[in-house]
PDB file of all heavy atoms in Angstrom:
ATOM      1  N   ASN W 227      13.797 -11.116 -14.209  1.00  0.00           N
ATOM      2  CA  ASN W 227      12.842 -11.610 -13.213  1.00  0.00           C
ATOM      3  C   ASN W 227      13.238 -12.939 -12.579  1.00  0.00           C
ATOM      4  O   ASN W 227      12.395 -13.645 -12.035  1.00  0.00           O
ATOM      5  CB  ASN W 227      11.429 -11.724 -13.779  1.00  0.00           C
ATOM      6  CG  ASN W 227      10.376 -11.574 -12.696  1.00  0.00           C
ATOM      7  OD1 ASN W 227      10.567 -10.828 -11.727  1.00  0.00           O
ATOM      8  ND2 ASN W 227       9.274 -12.282 -12.830  1.00  0.00           N
ATOM      9  N   ASN W 253      15.992  -5.400 -10.963  1.00  0.00           N
ATOM     10  CA  ASN W 253      15.643  -6.425 -11.949  1.00  0.00           C
ATOM     11  C   ASN W 253      16.305  -6.047 -13.270  1.00  0.00           C
ATOM     12  O   ASN W 253      15.740  -5.313 -14.081  1.00  0.00           O
ATOM     13  CB  ASN W 253      14.120  -6.526 -12.104  1.00  0.00           C
ATOM     14  CG  ASN W 253      13.693  -7.740 -12.901  1.00  0.00           C
ATOM     15  OD1 ASN W 253      14.481  -8.650 -13.160  1.00  0.00           O
ATOM     16  ND2 ASN W 253      12.430  -7.770 -13.314  1.00  0.00           N
ATOM     17  N   GLN W 258      12.371  -2.479 -15.857  1.00  0.00           N
ATOM     18  CA  GLN W 258      11.586  -2.112 -14.681  1.00  0.00           C
ATOM     19  C   GLN W 258      12.407  -1.230 -13.739  1.00  0.00           C
ATOM     20  O   GLN W 258      13.622  -1.394 -13.634  1.00  0.00           O
ATOM     21  CB  GLN W 258      11.127  -3.370 -13.945  1.00  0.00           C
ATOM     22  CG  GLN W 258      10.169  -4.232 -14.748  1.00  0.00           C
ATOM     23  CD  GLN W 258       9.875  -5.562 -14.073  1.00  0.00           C
ATOM     24  OE1 GLN W 258      10.315  -5.828 -12.956  1.00  0.00           O
ATOM     25  NE2 GLN W 258       9.120  -6.409 -14.760  1.00  0.00           N
ATOM     26  N   PRO W 259      11.755  -0.303 -13.040  1.00  0.00           N
ATOM     27  CA  PRO W 259      12.480   0.565 -12.105  1.00  0.00           C
ATOM     28  C   PRO W 259      12.917  -0.198 -10.860  1.00  0.00           C
ATOM     29  O   PRO W 259      12.350  -1.238 -10.517  1.00  0.00           O
ATOM     30  CB  PRO W 259      11.440   1.639 -11.753  1.00  0.00           C
ATOM     31  CG  PRO W 259      10.125   0.942 -11.919  1.00  0.00           C
ATOM     32  CD  PRO W 259      10.309   0.001 -13.074  1.00  0.00           C
ATOM     33  N   ILE W 285       1.936  -7.740 -10.457  1.00  0.00           N
ATOM     34  CA  ILE W 285       2.703  -8.815  -9.829  1.00  0.00           C
ATOM     35  C   ILE W 285       4.133  -8.318  -9.634  1.00  0.00           C
ATOM     36  O   ILE W 285       4.827  -8.028 -10.616  1.00  0.00           O
ATOM     37  CB  ILE W 285       2.708 -10.094 -10.678  1.00  0.00           C
ATOM     38  CG1 ILE W 285       1.264 -10.577 -10.916  1.00  0.00           C
ATOM     39  CG2 ILE W 285       3.522 -11.185  -9.996  1.00  0.00           C
ATOM     40  CD1 ILE W 285       1.168 -11.825 -11.782  1.00  0.00           C
ATOM     41  N   PRO W 286       4.608  -8.182  -8.390  1.00  0.00           N
ATOM     42  CA  PRO W 286       5.962  -7.689  -8.137  1.00  0.00           C
ATOM     43  C   PRO W 286       7.016  -8.601  -8.760  1.00  0.00           C
ATOM     44  O   PRO W 286       6.805  -9.812  -8.894  1.00  0.00           O
ATOM     45  CB  PRO W 286       6.073  -7.711  -6.607  1.00  0.00           C
ATOM     46  CG  PRO W 286       4.663  -7.787  -6.112  1.00  0.00           C
ATOM     47  CD  PRO W 286       3.881  -8.506  -7.158  1.00  0.00           C
ATOM     48  N   ASN W 287       8.166  -8.018  -9.110  1.00  0.00           N
ATOM     49  CA  ASN W 287       9.252  -8.837  -9.663  1.00  0.00           C
ATOM     50  C   ASN W 287       9.897  -9.696  -8.570  1.00  0.00           C
ATOM     51  O   ASN W 287       9.611  -9.533  -7.379  1.00  0.00           O
ATOM     52  CB  ASN W 287      10.279  -7.989 -10.410  1.00  0.00           C
ATOM     53  CG  ASN W 287      11.009  -7.005  -9.524  1.00  0.00           C
ATOM     54  OD1 ASN W 287      11.414  -7.323  -8.408  1.00  0.00           O
ATOM     55  ND2 ASN W 287      11.207  -5.783 -10.027  1.00  0.00           N
ATOM     56  N   LEU W 290      11.642  -8.110  -5.480  1.00  0.00           N
ATOM     57  CA  LEU W 290      10.698  -7.600  -4.485  1.00  0.00           C
ATOM     58  C   LEU W 290      10.062  -8.732  -3.687  1.00  0.00           C
ATOM     59  O   LEU W 290       9.856  -8.625  -2.474  1.00  0.00           O
ATOM     60  CB  LEU W 290       9.615  -6.771  -5.177  1.00  0.00           C
ATOM     61  CG  LEU W 290       9.920  -5.272  -5.225  1.00  0.00           C
ATOM     62  CD1 LEU W 290       9.070  -4.573  -6.253  1.00  0.00           C
ATOM     63  CD2 LEU W 290       9.701  -4.669  -3.857  1.00  0.00           C
ATOM     64  N   ASN W 323       5.257   2.815 -13.990  1.00  0.00           N
ATOM     65  CA  ASN W 323       6.559   2.468 -13.419  1.00  0.00           C
ATOM     66  C   ASN W 323       6.466   1.526 -12.225  1.00  0.00           C
ATOM     67  O   ASN W 323       7.192   1.673 -11.231  1.00  0.00           O
ATOM     68  CB  ASN W 323       7.314   3.737 -13.011  1.00  0.00           C
ATOM     69  CG  ASN W 323       7.626   4.626 -14.194  1.00  0.00           C
ATOM     70  OD1 ASN W 323       8.028   4.145 -15.253  1.00  0.00           O
ATOM     71  ND2 ASN W 323       7.406   5.918 -14.039  1.00  0.00           N
ATOM     72  N   PHE W 324       5.607   0.531 -12.333  1.00  0.00           N
ATOM     73  CA  PHE W 324       5.529  -0.467 -11.276  1.00  0.00           C
ATOM     74  C   PHE W 324       6.708  -1.436 -11.408  1.00  0.00           C
ATOM     75  O   PHE W 324       7.032  -1.881 -12.520  1.00  0.00           O
ATOM     76  CB  PHE W 324       4.205  -1.236 -11.361  1.00  0.00           C
ATOM     77  CG  PHE W 324       4.036  -2.263 -10.272  1.00  0.00           C
ATOM     78  CD1 PHE W 324       3.652  -1.878  -9.004  1.00  0.00           C
ATOM     79  CD2 PHE W 324       4.296  -3.609 -10.519  1.00  0.00           C
ATOM     80  CE1 PHE W 324       3.521  -2.812  -7.985  1.00  0.00           C
ATOM     81  CE2 PHE W 324       4.169  -4.557  -9.510  1.00  0.00           C
ATOM     82  CZ  PHE W 324       3.777  -4.152  -8.233  1.00  0.00           C
ATOM     83  N   PRO W 325       7.380  -1.797 -10.307  1.00  0.00           N
ATOM     84  CA  PRO W 325       8.528  -2.703 -10.378  1.00  0.00           C
ATOM     85  C   PRO W 325       8.104  -4.169 -10.487  1.00  0.00           C
ATOM     86  O   PRO W 325       8.304  -4.972  -9.587  1.00  0.00           O
ATOM     87  CB  PRO W 325       9.263  -2.425  -9.068  1.00  0.00           C
ATOM     88  CG  PRO W 325       8.175  -2.008  -8.124  1.00  0.00           C
ATOM     89  CD  PRO W 325       7.181  -1.252  -8.950  1.00  0.00           C
ATOM     90  N   GLY W 326       7.508  -4.488 -11.589  1.00  0.00           N
ATOM     91  CA  GLY W 326       7.014  -5.840 -11.825  1.00  0.00           C
ATOM     92  C   GLY W 326       6.157  -5.843 -13.083  1.00  0.00           C
ATOM     93  O   GLY W 326       6.282  -4.982 -13.944  1.00  0.00           O
ATOM     94  N   ARG W 327       5.256  -6.795 -13.169  1.00  0.00           N
ATOM     95  CA  ARG W 327       4.410  -6.927 -14.359  1.00  0.00           C
ATOM     96  C   ARG W 327       3.044  -6.299 -14.119  1.00  0.00           C
ATOM     97  O   ARG W 327       2.486  -6.386 -13.025  1.00  0.00           O
ATOM     98  CB  ARG W 327       4.246  -8.407 -14.721  1.00  0.00           C
ATOM     99  CG  ARG W 327       5.572  -9.107 -14.960  1.00  0.00           C
ATOM    100  CD  ARG W 327       5.383 -10.539 -15.379  1.00  0.00           C
ATOM    101  NE  ARG W 327       4.786 -10.642 -16.713  1.00  0.00           N
ATOM    102  CZ  ARG W 327       4.477 -11.792 -17.298  1.00  0.00           C
ATOM    103  NH1 ARG W 327       4.677 -12.936 -16.664  1.00  0.00           N
ATOM    104  NH2 ARG W 327       3.958 -11.801 -18.509  1.00  0.00           N
ATOM    105  N   THR W 328       2.514  -5.678 -15.173  1.00  0.00           N
ATOM    106  CA  THR W 328       1.210  -5.034 -15.114  1.00  0.00           C
ATOM    107  C   THR W 328       0.270  -5.697 -16.114  1.00  0.00           C
ATOM    108  O   THR W 328       0.644  -5.946 -17.262  1.00  0.00           O
ATOM    109  CB  THR W 328       1.313  -3.530 -15.429  1.00  0.00           C
ATOM    110  OG1 THR W 328       2.187  -2.913 -14.478  1.00  0.00           O
ATOM    111  CG2 THR W 328      -0.044  -2.857 -15.361  1.00  0.00           C
TER     112      THR W 328
END
Side-chain angles (χ1 to χ4, degrees):
N227 207 33
N253 191 13
Q258 295 172 5
I285 302 179
N287 64 43
L290 266 163
N323 297 317
F324 182 79
R327 303 183 68 182
T328 301

